Structure formats: structure tokens, C-alpha cells
Amino acid sequence: MNDMINLSRRSFIKSTALVAGGLVVAFSIPQAKRFMGVANAAEAMPLPAPNAFLRIGADDSITVMLAHSEMGQGVWTTLPMLIADELDADWSKVKVEHAPAAPAYIHTAYGIQITGGSSTTWSEFDRYRQAGALTRALLLQAAAKQWNVPVAGLRTENGAVINGKKKLTYGQLVETASQLETPTSVTLKKPEQWKFIGKATKRLDSAEKINGTAKFGQDVQFDGLKVAMVARSPVFGTKLKSVDDSAARQVPGVIKVVKVPTGVAVIAEYYWAAKQGREALKLAWDLDGHDKPDSAALLKQYQALAQQPGVQAAKAGDIASASKQAKHTITAEYVLPYLSHAPMEPLNCAVKISDQGCDIWTGTQMQTTDQAAAAKILGLKPDQVKIHTQFLGGGFGRRANPRADFVSEAVEVAKAAGLPVKTVWSREDDVKGGFYRPMFVHRATVALDQQGKPLAWQQTLVGQSIIKGTPFEGVMIKDGIDATSVEGVADSPYVKGTANHQVHLHSVQSDVPVLWWRSVGHSHSGFVMESLIDELAHASKQDPLAYRRQLLKDHPRHLAALNLAADKAGWGKPLPSGVFRGIAVHESFGSYVAQVAEVSVKEGEVKVHRVVVAIDCGLAVNPDGVKAQMESSVAYALGAALSSEISFKDGQVVQSNFHDYQVLRMKDMPKVDVHIVASKEKMGGVGEPGVPPLAPAVANAVFAATGKRIRRLPIGDQLA
Amino acid sequence: MKLNINGKETDLNVSDDMPILWAIRDVAGMTGTKFGCGMAQCGACTVHLDGQAIRSCVTPVSAAVGKKITTIEAMQEDKVGQAVQAAWQQIDVVQCGYCQSGQIMSATSLLKQNPTPSDADIDAAMSGNICRCGTYQRIRTAIHEAAAKLA
Ligand code: FES
Ligand code: FES
């Protein structure tokens, strides 16, 4: 990672130009790997000018352009740290902006502009450091030219080039630097030279987020911008039959009522009028003969499918003959509900269409996808659509939609209204609006030998595919298997470590829209695998930690996390009376996370007192950011494990707001202790990998406390 | 309708039943106060009405006539608010930040009524404020920190 990087080979320097406000260093790196099915996006779109990661102002300001969205995970701080280290920047002069949607900002691995898959830091680790290093080299050359001395005698420090007692700040060098040729190679620093990377660093977006000035999509306002709310069908996949909007139009503040493909939009001066106007609509939907999902019926259907062969996702050896040697055979069925992301900021998107094109202000995790969708609706070229990414009031996957749902709808509304409009969702719209973590049923049969080692492992998964029907289908579904459905099972070290195994998948068709929810397939597979392992340990009368250590003996990164968590939690040591431990370890997004939950159960109520977390994510660029993401993951996953569920009755979503779609609150927040494995291994992500082990760690502790095995989430009132 | 927002008499052309939240955000154009649920379930819209933390999404403007509305935008001028904001920065509480205006308004109100809250007091006062990013542990620490600084 500290080698001389030959930019002429690895990178392609596009231009160096002086633009308004300073020096722009621009380059892009050829895509290493593209799997999202839009491989030609970069080639197909013209390059914007300027194409940039970094801007130095004559006032010494250093503006870092983020190719990724800040949604709480801290990239607003982490990516600037990468640049600052290579640039020897004055940290107090660093400013940050979201980049526009443009080919320069295409993900280095995924081929589209996306913030997802817990990938920002590792995927930008080279690119942002190179941007910093390249700029520093240019500034050194500029100083050498200004002083008429060789570069070799100069050094950089805290935002300035230094020559003995003389000093030129970066801002003073901008003009000269802009006239120079960009270097074709740079040497990146060695880890021992880093001042920022690897050190706990305070967030750069803290001040504006505590005084109310941070701008989220919801906060976008300008003269002439109206507010819209859309009435959507109560049953997914059904269409509007008729609308009587006469009362709605009478509501003071309502400007227009228009039809859009997703329903009927009420456009008003402000939210309150739009909401009242929408309530006054008389709507009829074409529900006759349409499939109406019902949770009880879905469960029966999934359970039946789980006992039939599906599409094969993994296979080795011979299950049937191996099972004959079994000492014990365990069969278990696990059930996980649909889940809503429920980001704190309800969805919204402001759109202004003009003669030149279209401007969109929103919090999105997928800029180029939204851009392409808007362009298609309006008959524009993608570069005529400008995406102004605002802070995201949470994403968790909901703002990364291959179908660009809320952006497309907002564009349709603005187009139909002929006005600049911000489409706003209520919380009810969000909870009822679909794009859920799909419901899943897993059925597993594991045959154990005398020592409790798995001889044969058969597992069948039933659930909707997230990818099917999206533009990513061509690349992300192989041989009928959506990799995101079976991740964490088909590639599980337990399954692959069992000589005879078989994983099958049924991808159920439904009109219920589904999407990736923080940790995607691992959000169900982590729970199932780590609960099952606990069942196997119990069946073979072994300590759950010792049992895992044995099965994972050839998986050093799993073991490192497991051992660190167990050690810090004092596994095996006495606990206060009534408190019990559960443990789990799971790899996802390239990181390995183990958790020990300390739980008590009183009168059917589960109380989680403490969760000890250990993570091996390779290099932790901002260790405090890693800790924050582990705390966040525990809270997000615990709320879901204890109480969140989207269910259907007569085709309609039962839940509507936070009173019945319950999430974690302060009173249920456990103490979270986070430990980072000192690791020189490959970097992984941190936004999601803390989620999968939480539910099984808690459920395993519940088993230790009560002897009741939790095979269905949420835990809800199962212990009552 | 005349409303006193952060010490300023403000004349807003709104109907009696409009929630304070929307009057502040959409009509007065002050966007620091957030919308999260619209039914007193999440606390994102918390403001102070004569010093009491209220959910502005369910409180009509008519209830604020003759009273003082205080929002996040005024916390920098409030001694307790300042201490809370400083503690928030010191502990690096925020993540996405969307809930934090409401968290700070609730925490400030708590500390004004109870300068040395216990964990149980914090649970009771803060459980109406949802944070989907799960910053609760740091909020708890920051409230204790602010209490210590103010003592
Ligand atoms: S928006 Fe008022 S409590 Fe949620
Ligand atoms: S910081 Fe994101 S919801 Fe609280």
C-alpha cells in the first residue's frame, strides 16, 4: 500500500486546471471490477469539467469532493483524512462537499456512483491518497519554480511548502501550480508517516449537525419550490381506478392535483396543506382479482417451499450417505420478517426542470442511477441532470434503489405539475412504502458425528430476490441464484467446512418491493447461521465458544474477533445473577465481527445489558468512526431483533409509524464496548458488518437464560 | 398569527391548526427543527414552549400564542444549550445528524429541570427521541458530561 504508484499505468490523469476558487486536480482510475451491470456507464457519459476530488483555494482552503454520500457513517471525515495525510494539509482548513453525479466519481470497484456495501473507505483508500499525493507533488513543483530552487530541498508541512526559513502556503502556490504539468507518478507515504490515518479523528460534520444548519434533502427550500405528497395504492402492484379531487383542491394552500404513474400528487405551498389536500382526495384503486399478500399465508407458503428442492446455490459431497453415520440430526426452521429501513429522515426529493435540463436535490446513495432514471423520464441526456446530494438523514440501503423509486416519482411529479416541486413522504408513506428487507424462511438439517462435528449440512432458503427485475440482474444473478439471497450461507465457513453440504434457494415472486437493508442477506443469514451453530453446540454438549473455535480453526480472522470479544467479555466468568451470555461471529463485507451479549429475561421481557464487540476490519482508518458504527449497528439490529416487523393483512401493510413499527429507544440501549483487532489484513467495511451477529448473540443469550430457542424474529412477546 | 420564535415576534400567515413544526419550517423557513413522524413518536421536532420540551409536530400554532417558542437555532445563546452542544462535539455524538436537533432540545430541557440526571432520568426523558443511527450511548455520555460542566 505504500509502493510507488505509477499513475500512468494505474491512473489516468485527465486534466489540471485553474477554475473559479482554485486548483483542481482531476484524474480517474480505470475500473478494477464492475459487477453492477452498468459497466459502460463511465464510457457512455461525457466527462464533466472540472472532474475533481480536491480544490485548493487562494485562501488556503482545501475542499474535498466526496464521491460518496455522508449518511452518518462518517465518510465526510474519513475520505478527507486520506487526502490530508498525503497532502500534509492543515486540517483546520479542510472543507467537504458532496460531488455531483459524474463519471469521475464512479465507484472504483462497482462501476456506478454508489455508497453501499460498506465499501467507501477501502474502495477509496488508494484513489483519495493519490489525489492528495499528486497535489502535494504539484505544489512542491510550484514552490520550486517560484523560489527557483530544486524540489529536492523542499518539504511540506501543515498546508505549506517550506524551504529553510521560507514558507509558501498552498493557497499562495495555486496560481503557479495550475500552469504545471501534472506529475505522472507519486510515492505514497509509509504507514509510519501517517498523521491522520489510524488515529481517532473528530467528525468534520459535527458543528453543523448540532446547531441546525446542516442541510438535508428535507431542508431544501428556494423561491418557487412547492411541496407535493403522493397518494399511492394501499396494495402493491395495483393501479388507480378513479380519483375525485374536488375537495382536495379547496384546501387552502393546495395548488394542483396531478396524476403520476405511482398515484395522485397533491401540490401545495407547504407540507401541511399538501397533507390535508391528500387526505381530502377520494380515491379508488383497482384491487379486484389482484394478489393480496397476507403474512399468515405467506408463512405457510414459505414453510412448504422450504421442504422442497430449490435452485442449487452450493453443493459438495453426498448428503444422504453421510447422514447415515450421524449421531445426532438437527432440523430447524427459522423465520425472519419483512423490515422497513425507516431512516430518521423521511424520503424526499426536490426537482426543478428547466430548458437546459433538470436539477435534483436529495439525499441519495446512488447518484448515477437516479440521474439516468430522471434523464430517461425527461428525454434528456444524463449529463443534463444535475444531482445535488444533500446530507442523508440515514440511508441503511433505502436511499440506494436500483429502481430509483423516490427520485423517479419526484421527477414525474415536477414534470406533471410544471413547477419546481419537493416531493415529501410522511412516516406512514415510508413504513407502508415497500422496498423492505425481504421476509425469509430458512430450513436446515445438520447431521453431527460422535464429537459433534457436522457431517452433512442441508439448508434451503425461501425469500424474494432483491436483484431480480432491476438493472443489476444480468450481472448479480448467476444460474438463477441471487448472491445477496444466499450470502452468509452458501459461503459460510461452517457450510463449506462440512464435506457434504447443499444449499438451495427458492426466489419467491411477489409485488412487494424489496431492497437491501443494512447488511443485506447477512441480516437474515447471520442470525440463522449463528443460532444454528449454538443449537449444534448444545446438541453436542459443548460450550458455544469452544465449539465455534473448533469449527473455525482454519479461519484466523473469525478466530481473532471471536477470541477478542470473548476475552473482553470475560467469557466463562461469573455474571450477576439472572444475567446470561450469548456469542456470535460473522463475516460480511470483508470484516469479521464477534459479539457477546449479556442478557436477562424478566416476565417475558428481554433486557440487553451490555454487548461486547470485536471487529477485524483490517486497517481502521478512523478508529473512533469504527466504534461509532459498531454502536450504531448494535442499536439498529437490536431494535429489529426485539420488535420490528412489517406484516400484511388483506394485501395491506399493517404497520404505519413508530408506534407500531417499533425501533430501539434510549431505554433499551445496552452498554456497547468495542474492541478493534490490531490487523494488517485486507480492509473491509464497517457500516454493516456489526449488524449480523447481534440478533444471534442476543437470542443465544436468551437460550442460555430460559432454555427457549428463538427461531423467529422479532423476539416480540415470544417469551411471555 | 403572531408567534414569538427565539425572542422575535414573527407574523406568520398560517391557519390556527397548523402544527408549530410546519409553521417554523415551511413558513418561517427555519429548517433546524426536523420532521420525523408527525405523531409525537420520534422527538425530531422537539422545541421549547415557555421552556418546556414539546413535540411541535402535534402542537398547533394556536397553542403558542402569547408564549415563547425556542428552537435549535437559539441554543448557541443558551447557557445550558451551549454546554450540551459542546458536550455533543466533545463526545462526537452525531452520525447522520437528523435526529440531533431534537435530541439536543430534549437534553437541554432535561438539564434545566434536573441538573444531575441519573441514567434512569436520562432514559425517562430521552426515550421519546428516536435515533435510527443509534447514538444513544454517546448521548447518555454527553448529557453526563454537560451536567458535569454546568455544575
Ligand atoms: S416529528 Fe414530532 S415527534 Fe416525530
Ligand atoms: S444521528 Fe441519525 S438518526 Fe440520530
Side-chain angles (χ1 to χ4, degrees), chain A residues 148-169:
Chain A
N148 200 16
V149 297
V151 167
L154 305 177
R155 65 189 177 85
T156 52
E157 193 184 294
N158 206 30
V161 180
I162 304 198
N163 178 19
K165 291 208 156 61
K166 286 192 289 188
K167 175 172 148 177
L168 282 167
T169 67

Side-chain angles (χ1 to χ4, degrees), chain A residues 344 394, chain B residues 94-100 103 130-135:
Chain A
M344 205 66 234
Chain B
V94 310
Q95 291 192 24
C96 85
Y98 194 79
C99 73
Q100 298 296 346
Q103 304 282 3
I130 293 173
C131 174
R132 287 296 280 149
C133 300
T135 62

Side-chain angles (χ1 to χ4, degrees), chain A residues 100-120:
Chain A
Y105 306 109
I106 298 289
H107 195 291
T108 60
Y110 296 166
I112 57 171
Q113 195 169 335
I114 181 172
T115 307
S118 299
S119 64
T120 297

Side-chain angles (χ1 to χ4, degrees), chain B residues 82-93 141-143 145-146:
Chain B
Q82 272 173 10
V84 169
Q85 286 176 323
W88 247 244
Q89 270 203 287
Q90 188 193 324
I91 307 298
D92 234 6
V93 169
T141 308
I143 290 175
E145 175 66 30

